Amino acid sequence: MKKTLIALTLSSALLFACSGGNNPSGSEEDYAFSWVTPTGAPTLAFYDQGENENWVSASNPAEIVVPSFAANSYDAIVFDGVSGLNLMTANAKAANYKLARWINNLGFYLVSTSHTKEDVASWDASWTIDAFVKTGNASRCLLNLAADSWNWGDVTSQTTFETGLDAVVGNIATGGYDFYVVADPAYTNLKTKMGDKLHLIYDLQEEWGKAHDGSCIPSAALFVNKTKYAEHKLAYDKFLAETDERLANLVDDPQKAQDGLLTYVTSEPSHCVNGNITKFGISATIAVRLADYQATNTFGFLKKDAVGDVKAVADKFQAGFSGASFSADLFLTD
């Protein structure tokens, strides 16, 4: 039964991945849809696509995902939504994409292995912070909250900004910083492993909401290539519909997501290295308990009908930085 399930899953994935080039018929089955994502929580929105060779994931999004906007080569890109919008606003070469979906409102956390929350009533100028992606929402919110809510002042010079979350997680193991900014599911995995040795200083989502009238920190979004969308709308409609279904399952029926992820893991030993599912950037510990975590939507996934206006989400967050609203041209209306 297990082999049959794996075979069926692989057959479905490979049919979609290896369908070949464009076909004059224009049917969605004939188009090899390609997309790129960072590793981590956003990859769970593609829990049954592990075998799809047209999906590229990267643990260093600043070096691989970000340049993909200007390169204009992928059909879709998953990235920090507001960062992507800012990038497209500032760089005309990157502006051939539209934000089509919000994927999740991820948990962001300021943690420490050497300090507790009681230690940080005031900022010590000798302290250091390790964060990831300077232009990303987690880092921007950290600096905003430190200055305006925690009375720490400007801590930019005490903060190191890594190119991706994996680097921060690696540094927690070796020490060297007073504080670290991490995101789920890495935080959940670290807390499971380290227990009381990992101290939660601030839940950034919670702190941002208190400071900004209940606003959330939006995280991953799905951007689609507007030129290719016009040329291959059937393929895009299929991709978006399947993504919507997976997001709904992550919220309403997470066992399906767990089963899909574990089918990929068990289909080939090389998919899991040192307890980590490399393409997803998710630990095996998270994978085997995904349904439990998602019973309360721990990783903040968003069903399509939970987001009434994708533009309004970005604009409300921008207002927290006194930023201007984004152009309507940057959003897909479907």
Side-chain angles (χ1 to χ4, degrees), residues 286-297:
I286 294 293
V288 298
R289 295 186 58 195
L290 181 59
D292 293 333
Y293 290 127
Q294 276 304 111
T296 55
N297 200 12

Side-chain angles (χ1 to χ4, degrees), residues 80 104-111 132 136-139 141-142 145 150 165 180-184 187 200 202-208 216-220 298 317:
D80 180 294
N104 64 344
N105 294 332
L106 195 59
F108 297 113
Y109 309 90
L110 183 70
V111 301
F132 60 98
N137 287 350
S139 295
C141 290
L142 166 75
L145 290 166
W150 306 336
L165 177 58
Y180 305 85
V181 177
V182 294
D184 261 326
Y187 170 75
L200 174 63
Y202 285 120
D203 179 328
L204 298 189
Q205 282 282 12
E206 181 179 308
E207 293 293 306
W208 187 261
C216 67
I217 305 173
S219 40
T298 296
F317 181 70

Side-chain angles (χ1 to χ4, degrees), residues 49-208:
Q49 294 294 301
E51 297 286 355
N52 194 325
E53 296 178 359
N54 292 317
W55 168 29
V56 174
S57 64
S59 62
N60 50 344
E63 296 178 8
I64 295 178
V65 181
V66 173
S68 297
F69 282 91
N72 195 32
S73 55
Y74 286 100
D75 295 290
I77 298 172
V78 172
F79 189 51
D80 180 294
V82 173
S83 296
L85 292 168
N86 284 326
L87 175 65
M88 293 189 297
T89 300
N91 183 358
K93 290 185 177 180
N96 196 42
Y97 286 85
K98 289 178 179 283
L99 193 155
R101 299 286 190 276
W102 288 103
I103 289 180
N104 64 344
N105 294 332
L106 195 59
F108 297 113
Y109 309 90
L110 183 70
V111 301
S112 178
T113 57
S114 54
H115 303 281
T116 65
K117 188 170 183 177
E118 290 70 28
D119 297 335
V120 300
S122 60
W123 178 255
D124 187 318
S126 69
W127 286 344
T128 56
I129 304 173
D130 196 26
F132 60 98
V133 188
K134 187 173 183 179
T135 58
N137 287 350
S139 295
R140 294 177 67 208
C141 290
L142 166 75
L143 298 179
N144 179 283
L145 290 166
D148 296 345
S149 299
W150 306 336
N151 298 315
W152 288 3
D154 184 358
V155 297
T156 306
S157 62
Q158 284 81 47
T159 305
T160 297
F161 299 97
E162 312 289 356
T163 59
L165 177 58
D166 283 2
V168 178
V169 173
N171 289 337
I172 290 175
T174 58
Y177 293 89
D178 293 281
F179 305 97
Y180 305 85
V181 177
V182 294
D184 261 326
Y187 170 75
T188 297
N189 191 47
L190 285 166
K191 195 64 180 172
T192 299
K193 290 180 177 179
M194 300 178 67
D196 293 340
K197 294 180 180 179
L198 186 71
H199 307 297
L200 174 63
I201 307 302
Y202 285 120
D203 179 328
L204 298 189
Q205 282 282 12
E206 181 179 308
E207 293 293 306
W208 187 261

Side-chain angles (χ1 to χ4, degrees), residues 35 109 125 268 327:
W35 72 103
Y109 309 90
E268 170 58 52
S327 168

